[in-house]
Amino acid sequence: MPHPPSPAALTTDPRAGTHPGTAALARLRPLLAEIGDAKRVRVAGADGSLAEQAFARGWARLVEGEDPAVVALSETAAAVARARLAGIDAAVLAGAGLAPDDAAAVLRRGFDEVAGVLDGALRDRLRDALPLVRTPAVPAPLLVPRLIAQPRAGATAPGVARIMVEPPESHGDHCLTVAVYGVLVAPVFGADPVPPFLVGMAHHLHNVLLPDAGFAGEVLLGDHLDTVIGTLEARELAVLPAGLAGRLRTVLALRADAVAPESRAFHTADVLDRVLQVHHHARAAAFTAGQALDDLELVHAGPVQAFHHEVLAAAGLAS
């Protein structure tokens, strides 16, 4: 559940365009949108979207006891590279016969193509962490498949019918994306990138059991909302390794306001993902064949391009 910041925590009105990170967030937004598209990309031989696969791997790495900083930076680096390489990762490249150094070079090219908008110091840390993505020896905790199976409610408001969009994103999609965004926006606020990543991964633990009815449902729960969320969240934390659970309890407190830099990074990531998701559905609904043919060059340059255009013209399909 998003926890809105107290009015005192906001020094400026973001709607007025005077937020101190306005320029940085505007530069980041196109890349964030591309990274968010991993919610909608799938590959043969693996269940779920690329974002859901990364969500499961990240949780498994954390449960196995890997350093959360290494997990946060390497999974974020992989998400940046995925913006253009999609499902082409180190394992795919190795299976296709590339040597490790050659595979790493391909991944870095994908990363470099889009990473120019990132904070320089963070970009260097992420680039160095890109080869550190690994498949852990332990399975993801049970909370992972349940959050992946739990659909997001989308936009809801008290007293009105919800807007239904298909397909709905999963909580795994959302949590992984918020975690990655939290790392990428951390420099805007001078924040340590690791806590926003962890909060992003864990901020919907209550939805392992609680179906998502959105803001409208939260309002109807009324005074019971905090009890319901607290009880269900505590239940999930109790079955995690003690060290990880303790760390998560600490960082999840960052949701309460937008005062600390890490709190601001998390809330920024959360609201950007929610709104970019709505923008995705709006773009998809308005997509035209002309955009595919003209803007995206569906009939792309090559030795038979002229013939393809002739075929489309003859069939009445030219743009």
Side-chain angles (χ1 to χ4, degrees):
M1 179 193 70
H3 294 255
S6 63
L10 298 177
T11 57
T12 57
D13 182 359
R15 294 169 297 180
T18 55
H19 186 283
T22 295
L25 292 179
R27 285 194 302 271
L28 283 171
R29 190 186 72 181
L31 174 58
L32 299 182
E34 284 197 69
I35 289 170
D37 282 339
K39 300 174 183 180
R40 294 167 277 275
V41 180
R42 286 166 167 74
V43 296
D47 293 331
S49 69
L50 297 182
E52 289 169 340
Q53 293 171 40
F55 180 65
R57 183 179 60 230
W59 265 106
R61 294 173 69 184
L62 291 171
V63 167
E64 192 177 46
E66 191 171 351
D67 182 352
V70 175
V71 177
L73 293 174
S74 60
E75 291 294 346
T76 300
V80 173
R82 273 197 303 273
R84 294 298 170 83
L85 286 169
I88 299 176
D89 59 15
V92 169
L93 294 170
L98 268 65
D101 288 347
D102 292 332
V106 171
L107 295 176
R108 287 197 171 101
R109 280 201 297 273
F111 177 91
D112 292 342
E113 185 167 310
V114 297
V117 297
L118 300 179
D119 171 81
L122 176 64
R123 182 174 61 244
D124 291 344
R125 293 179 70 189
L126 294 175
R127 199 173 190 274
D128 290 343
L130 189 57
L132 302 180
V133 177
R134 49 179 290 275
T135 301
V138 303
L142 186 58
L143 67 91
V144 167
R146 289 183 174 174
L147 285 175
I148 287 173
Q150 191 76 277
R152 298 269 291 160
T156 71
V160 297
R162 72 175 61 194
I163 298 173
M164 300 299 297
V165 292
E166 296 291 343
E169 65 176 325
S170 75
H171 279 80
D173 284 324
H174 171 67
C175 289
L176 184 280
T177 305
V178 171
V180 167
Y181 285 5
V183 173
L184 298 180
V185 305
V188 175
F189 303 97
D192 178 349
V194 180
F197 178 88
L198 293 174
V199 179
M201 292 287 279
H203 73 293
H204 277 284
L205 289 177
H206 56 284
N207 288 118
V208 169
L209 180 64
L210 186 69
D212 190 357
F215 181 54
E218 293 176 359
V219 170
L220 291 173
L221 281 168
D223 293 341
H224 303 298
L225 177 63
D226 288 342
T227 298
V228 168
I229 290 177
T231 297
L232 296 178
E233 187 173 276
R235 184 178 301 174
E236 298 305 320
L237 290 171
V239 299
L240 294 174
L244 175 61
R247 179 76 182 275
L248 292 176
R249 288 189 189 94
T250 298
V251 298
L252 284 168
L254 294 169
R255 293 172 298 178
D257 56 41
V259 176
E262 291 74 20
S263 295
R264 293 186 172 208
F266 163 71
H267 284 295
T268 296
D270 184 47
V271 73
L272 286 176
D273 182 54
R274 286 187 280 133
V275 175
L276 285 171
Q277 177 72 10
V278 172
H279 277 269
H280 158 72
H281 287 294
R283 285 196 312 273
F287 183 73
T288 67
Q291 286 175 291
L293 288 166
D294 299 330
D295 299 344
L296 301 178
E297 296 186 89
L298 180 64
V299 182
H300 53 75
V304 296
Q305 183 186 45
F307 177 71
H308 284 169
H309 282 305
E310 291 174 9
V311 170
L312 294 176
L317 292 173
S319 61

